Amino acid sequence: MNAMTSRAYIPRFEIPKTSIIDARTPHFTGQKRLDMINRIKRLLKKQDAVLVAHYYTDKDLQQVADETGGYVSDSLDMARFGNEHPATTLVVAGVRFMGETAKILNPEKRVLMPTLEATCSLDMSCPAEVFNPYCDQHPDHTVVVYANTSAEVKARADWVVTSSIAVRVVSHLIDKNKKILWAPDKHLGRYIQKVTGADMTLWPGTCIVHEEFKASALRRLMQKHPEAGVLVHPESPEEVIDLADVVGSTTALIKAAHDLPNNEFIVATDRGIFYKMRQAAPGKIFIEAPTGGEGATCISCAHCPWMAMNGLHNLAHTLETGSNEIHVDEQIRIKALRSTQRMLDFVRSHA
Ligand code: 13P
Ligand code: SF4
């Protein structure tokens, strides 16, 4: 396995503080909250729109999606659902790459998002103008990118994958003797490499949320809760993944919480997932995996600052005004569709 050297490229970007985002995002309670939810429900109907939300978004948004025939899921199933649903407008609550994926797959539909500011540290760590020349330097590699990338990066890729099928796609490529250029998440890339034994060159990106989980503090927490199952998203560092009972996509972790006999779980992913985990496994206890470490402070504190930008207030505003529409350049979209559609076709044929 080769890692791209930090001398070659060091991702740099601003991380908004979750506490500041939370303070800027109004949280409605009581009658105001119900009025807002009812207003959104009416608007969804009026606009022939369906709401597709990620598990990390606010539970009010997840509730509205559930109650209006929409969908709450991981990145793969969000893409699949939007692709198969007949609504003429898709409203994607999540981060920018999720809206772009919806548009890549559904050019005829209007794709709206509560905010266009919600990005992702992985997407930002892999700008197309740096990534494309890097791919040019590796012409003998198959380019496999995580869905958490821009449309431009997907346009350059041979394959797009999400965490739920990355291992299966890479195993399939190994059977064809392919060397893989993987971007942007180095932890997920290392995990896939370890499981499959693939020859992979890794881009040095990380998710700022999962990067903060700490193995030493997790070990201590596990000693205090010896009966707890440990559920870890593969965007986490290797030492944290090594402590897991189950490693998987958000959907896989929720399924594990339901299926495993444990009554208690330590969970290393964004805490937004607890809403659906509690529904899937009522009565079980869920504990956040530690982020800060001894005496340290966390930045994201197990909650994605960009996911936190989605709220009832901007969902209603988007539906009312048609603002925050996602547009993808048509030349880019056509190229990005090849690698993205390949993923959906793979899932269909390997179900
Ligand atoms: P999942 O595809 O497992 O939901 O993870 C995507 C992700 O990183 C959301 O931020
Ligand atoms: Fe990106 Fe991490 Fe936020 Fe997911 S949780 S959107 S990978 S920064």
Side-chain angles (χ1 to χ4, degrees):
M1 169 179 49
N2 305 308
M4 189 187 184
T5 62
S6 54
R7 205 153 45 85
Y9 178 62
I10 303 171
R12 283 203 180 86
F13 44 80
E14 291 276 306
I15 304 170
K17 272 204 169 347
T18 308
S19 53
I20 295 173
I21 304 288
D22 280 346
R24 269 206 269 144
T25 309
H27 287 279
F28 301 95
T29 52
Q31 192 56 44
K32 265 199 170 156
R33 176 177 164 276
L34 290 179
D35 289 348
M36 187 64 107
I37 288 177
N38 286 332
R39 189 167 128 213
I40 290 168
K41 286 181 178 174
R42 282 194 301 276
L43 286 163
L44 282 166
K45 232 186 222 153
K46 187 171 161 205
Q47 302 281 354
D48 186 29
V50 68
L51 177 61
V52 190
H54 191 267
Y55 295 121
Y56 297 164
T57 56
D58 188 273
K59 63 178 171 25
D60 283 346
L61 298 180
Q62 298 189 41
Q63 186 189 327
V64 174
D66 282 341
E67 289 177 359
T68 54
Y71 202 52
V72 183
S73 195
D74 65 6
S75 332
L76 176 66
D77 279 338
M78 285 173 76
R80 284 204 294 195
F81 180 85
N83 196 219
E84 285 159 16
H85 198 278
T88 53
T89 294
L90 302 176
V91 187
V92 179
V95 293
R96 178 103 187 189
F97 78 83
M98 295 170 175
E100 285 190 353
T101 303
K103 190 67 189 176
I104 290 165
L105 292 166
N106 306 285
E108 73 293 353
K109 295 185 184 180
R110 184 170 65 143
V111 177
L112 303 176
M113 297 191 76
T115 168
L116 296 181
E117 276 184 88
T119 181
C120 163
S121 63
L122 288 168
D123 185 347
M124 280 192 289
S125 73
C126 191
E129 61 276 19
V130 187
F131 185 63
N132 290 345
Y134 185 67
C135 294
D136 293 341
Q137 290 162 16
H138 295 80
D140 56 336
H141 282 60
T142 299
V143 178
V144 183
V145 302
Y146 198 24
N148 303 36
T149 45
S150 65
E152 288 81 0
V153 166
K154 289 184 175 78
R156 180 56 202 250
D158 299 301
W159 285 85
V160 171
V161 297
T162 68
S163 57
S164 60
I165 54 146
V167 166
R168 277 195 281 161
V169 168
V170 170
S171 301
H172 165 79
L173 293 173
I174 295 177
D175 292 345
K176 298 185 179 316
N177 290 323
K178 302 285 189 193
K179 284 195 277 188
I180 291 157
L181 192 160
W182 165 263
D185 188 340
K186 68 174 183 185
H187 295 309
L188 177 57
R190 191 167 292 126
Y191 170 71
I192 299 165
Q193 201 279 332
K194 213 167 170 175
V195 173
T196 63
D199 180 345
M200 292 170 78
T201 294
L202 309 181
W203 189 263
T206 56
C207 159
I208 54 127
V209 178
H210 293 86
E211 170 90 327
E212 288 197 324
F213 291 117
K214 297 284 184 292
S216 50
L218 175 55
R219 251 184 240 108
R220 283 194 291 279
L221 190 61
M222 288 165 71
Q223 276 161 12
K224 279 194 204 153
H225 300 269
E227 306 298 324
V230 178
L231 309 179
V232 175
H233 195 282
E235 290 169 11
S236 307
E238 187 176 13
E239 318 79 68
V240 174
I241 290 181
D242 285 346
L243 296 171
D245 293 307
V246 174
V247 181
S249 74
T250 45
T251 296
L253 299 184
I254 291 170
K255 186 171 178 321
H258 171 269
D259 292 351
L260 293 180
N262 311 55
N263 277 323
E264 233 182 7
F265 290 95
I266 301 172
V267 183
T269 195
D270 184 295
R271 69 177 116 90
I273 203 170
F274 289 146
Y275 177 65
K276 280 286 167 195
M277 259 183 188
R278 290 193 179 108
Q279 283 181 358
K284 293 194 179 183
I285 297 163
F286 299 105
I287 306 163
E288 280 178 36
T291 46
E294 206 84 1
T297 50
C298 49
I299 296 169
S300 73
C301 310
H303 191 38
C304 177
W306 296 291
M307 289 283 183
M309 288 176 175
N310 294 271
L312 290 177
H313 66 301
N314 49 16
L315 172 58
H317 184 259
T318 297
L319 280 163
E320 247 150 21
T321 60
S323 57
N324 301 336
E325 182 170 355
I326 292 284
H327 297 282
V328 177
D329 173 86
E330 187 58 9
Q331 297 300 319
I332 298 285
R333 191 195 69 77
I334 290 167
K335 287 188 192 153
L337 179 62
R338 277 202 300 257
S339 52
T340 309
Q341 189 64 50
R342 190 172 271 162
M343 164 176 78
L344 295 187
D345 292 345
F346 179 88
V347 175
R348 243 172 246 135
S349 60
H350 290 74

